[in-house]
Amino acid sequence: MNRILIEDTVTDVLTRSNSEIEVVLENLFPGKRLIGGKYNLDDHRITLYLDALEEQCLILFGSLEPFEEYVRVVLAHELGHANDPELEYLSDRLVNIRGSLPRTRITLRLEENAWRYANRLLRMENPAVFDTIMGQSLSSYYELLPEYAESAATTA
């Protein structure tokens, strides 16, 4: 991975979004999950985990050829969280709600909000890569909530 290329990619996406949010590049996610990017509401910062992003790219595409685009899409998605006007409200609801199905519905709404932002920002650059990443990201929610997958397919 060429770190300078990744830094240039981050700068380009931030410029396109007119965002001055801080983006931190780290190698490893401090946990067992395969998290490629994370927006932190408390410090208004995005962290991209480069090793996890590489692994995700390999799993999804079988190579690192689309890695730069993969980083762009994940960053745009995290910017979607950072710019989500419902984020605080939905995050508070998530903390206070009981039951896995209602929690999944709220989490799906957070994810779809972020993907809508990312879609407006850069989907048209490479729709095949964008749609593949977004589809993979949302698939586990749609498996649990198939009624949402049907409505998402008709509005796409």
Side-chain angles (χ1 to χ4, degrees), residues 24-154:
V24 177
L25 301 177
E26 294 188 8
N27 289 328
L28 298 172
F29 178 73
K32 302 235 183 263
R33 295 174 29 201
L34 189 60
I35 303 291
K38 184 159 182 55
Y39 170 68
N40 187 316
L41 179 62
D42 294 331
D43 62 10
H44 191 60
R45 177 186 326 183
I46 294 171
T47 305
L48 296 177
Y49 301 98
L50 301 178
D51 289 348
L53 288 169
E54 278 189 352
E55 189 172 341
Q56 289 173 346
C57 186
L58 281 169
I59 291 168
L60 198 54
F61 295 103
S63 80
L64 291 176
E65 185 175 329
F67 183 66
E68 181 184 351
E69 187 64 24
Y70 197 92
V71 170
R72 295 171 75 74
V73 171
V74 171
L75 176 55
H77 172 78
E78 296 307 324
L79 283 166
H81 287 304
N83 289 285
D84 183 352
E86 293 187 311
L87 182 65
E88 280 191 65
Y89 167 73
L90 292 173
S91 295
D92 287 344
R93 284 197 59 207
L94 201 54
V95 169
N96 295 313
I97 200 163
R98 297 203 190 289
S100 64
L101 215 50
R103 290 179 60 78
T104 300
R105 284 187 186 105
I106 292 170
T107 304
L108 174 59
R109 186 160 162 189
L110 285 164
E111 291 302 302
E112 287 180 330
N113 288 351
W115 281 116
R116 267 192 292 283
Y117 179 91
N119 181 33
R120 287 189 303 270
L121 186 62
L122 57 77
R123 179 183 178 269
M124 292 315 297
E125 289 179 14
N126 194 333
V129 170
F130 184 93
D131 291 346
T132 300
I133 297 167
M134 183 180 72
Q136 179 63 33
S137 170
L138 295 174
S139 66
S140 62
Y141 298 103
Y142 292 155
E143 287 172 12
L144 295 170
L145 304 165
E147 67 276 16
Y148 288 85
E150 292 168 14
S151 66
T154 60

